[in-house]
Amino acid sequence: MNERARLLFPLIVIAIAATGLPAGNPIVPDAGMADPHCYVFENKIYLFSTRDLDATQKKFTAPDWNIWSSDDLVSWKHERTIKPAETYVGEGGKCWATETVFKNGKYYFYFSNGSSDIGLMTSDRPEGPYRDAIGKPLIRSDLTPGKEYDPTVLVDDDAEQTAYIIFGNHFPGDHKNKYRIARLSDDLMSLAEHPKEIVINDLHRMFDHNDKPTIHKRKGVYYLSGGSTYAMAKNIYGPYQAIGNSGNGKNGLNFRGHGNYFAWNNQWFHTWCHFHLGRGVAKYRESYISYLHYRDNGELVTDTGFLSQHFSTGVGNYDANWETIEAEWYMTADGITKRESPHGGFEIQEIQDGGYLCFPNMANLTKHHSVVFHVSSQRGARIEVRADAPDGRILGSCTVPATGDWVTYCDAKCQLDECEDAKDVYLVFKGSGSDLLHLDRFNFVD
């Protein structure tokens, strides 16, 4: 580590830890945060990342791993730095991408020793301290013909909570370099089988040479991604069908955007890193976050519309002055389903009586006297605007008239009163039936 980086990084960490700095995008500015993986542990978000040394490096220089935490995906606290000297790797190691899972009452931290091998640390707490679990590689460098690094681990939702590890670098046409998968032992500290090659069909729809695998599961479907390009399968071993890019290539949403997809409070998010200075300028990355949606056929969509309009704001912050707030940008919800809209994009459907959406940290609310909802409803319903909780004080309410079907929309206007001191806006839905209304978007007006 050069002297400038050695002095600067602790100061950044101390400042963030002391202030809970609201970062937006980048998630934590000027920290060299790379390969971010977010997890929900004890109903709190923990972000594990690698760190690019500084903005002058022409080669990958990753001196340590870092753990951050957040209660809201807005303010972040630095919890811990893990040094390679705390593991079998020793001083001067290459701290490449990691994965963390919970099982058996413990937290398992799988880490890359450069592109050589994969180690394991464990802890009783998500923030650590972590200790080397076996004192040697879990997956040694000569285990397969390919590369043993960039681990991703899934504890499946079967009765046994079977755990699997995937790793490697995928080169089509090269039988040595493939993503590989192995079942882990019940204690997650050894392999229960020799790694198997993963087959991915139609690779022309993804970048044809990639490392950084990440696995997650939703509704019985396994999603294997490399950056923001991904493939889907009904069996974790595959074969996988390549789908394409969840993003659009901008802001690092491409095969290089290492990160993960995760759910929290009935919302999905995507986090990833980007060579924001240009990969040819420096091996130095920043990490970003946006909302994630699923098409009705299960395909992934990172919300690039939100990024194009509110990139620096980041998730979890809103402004009543925005021209439009899309309903699918909520942070917390209950009694609703997010689905595709018949007019394109996404909206909130299958809204139950008492269901709600939360839009916290709403700025400039007192400057507006009304809110307009763009909705459809077969029978009609009501929307209550409440402050700071689903049962908080009512700021206003309005009747949503019946539009007759789900493809005809109207604008329902709601007068607002006594918005002073209201920070978090809750939309609470009232009515009879199992699908009260479909909410596309809303905006505040004078």
Side-chain angles (χ1 to χ4, degrees), residues 310-327:
H310 310 296
F311 174 81
S312 60
T313 301
V315 301
N317 278 310
Y318 306 88
D319 194 323
N321 288 336
W322 288 357
E323 182 177 351
T324 297
I325 299 176
E326 297 291 338

Side-chain angles (χ1 to χ4, degrees), residues 56 91 96 99 117 140 204 255 257 276 296 298 318 337 356 362 371 387 432 435:
T56 68
E91 293 285 355
W96 287 19
E99 181 77 290
D117 51 54
R140 63 183 188 273
H204 64 278
F255 64 90
H276 69 290
D296 293 348
Y318 306 88
T337 301
Y356 65 84
M362 184 69 70
V371 58
S432 60
D435 197 358

Side-chain angles (χ1 to χ4, degrees), residues 164-217:
Y164 303 88
I165 187 167
I166 296 172
F167 59 91
N169 195 335
H170 199 284
F171 287 72
D174 182 343
H175 294 293
K176 291 184 177 180
N177 288 289
K178 296 288 186 181
Y179 290 152
R180 286 181 166 82
I181 181 172
R183 181 167 50 88
L184 288 165
S185 61
D186 289 341
D187 65 5
L188 277 68
M189 296 174 65
S190 63
L191 300 186
E193 62 183 356
H194 192 78
K196 299 176 175 63
E197 194 177 292
I198 292 179
V199 174
I200 305 176
N201 296 321
D202 292 336
L203 267 171
H204 64 278
R205 304 185 72 179
M206 299 173 66
F207 182 64
D208 64 0
H209 134 220
N210 210 351
D211 45 17
K212 61 189 76 65
T214 302
I215 187 79
H216 78 278
K217 185 181 184 182

Side-chain angles (χ1 to χ4, degrees), residues 100-152:
T100 307
V101 296
F102 176 77
K103 189 183 178 185
N104 306 323
K106 290 185 178 181
Y107 297 87
Y108 296 79
F109 174 73
Y110 299 85
F111 61 87
S112 300
N113 173 24
S115 60
S116 298
D117 51 54
I118 295 171
L120 171 63
M121 303 180 81
T122 59
S123 177
D124 296 327
R125 301 290 305 162
E127 70 273 17
Y130 284 82
R131 295 176 177 84
D132 195 321
I134 54 180
K136 61 182 180 180
L138 170 71
I139 299 179
R140 63 183 188 273
S141 60
D142 60 350
L143 183 62
T144 75
K147 294 285 189 179
E148 281 76 16
Y149 71 109
D150 280 7
T152 182

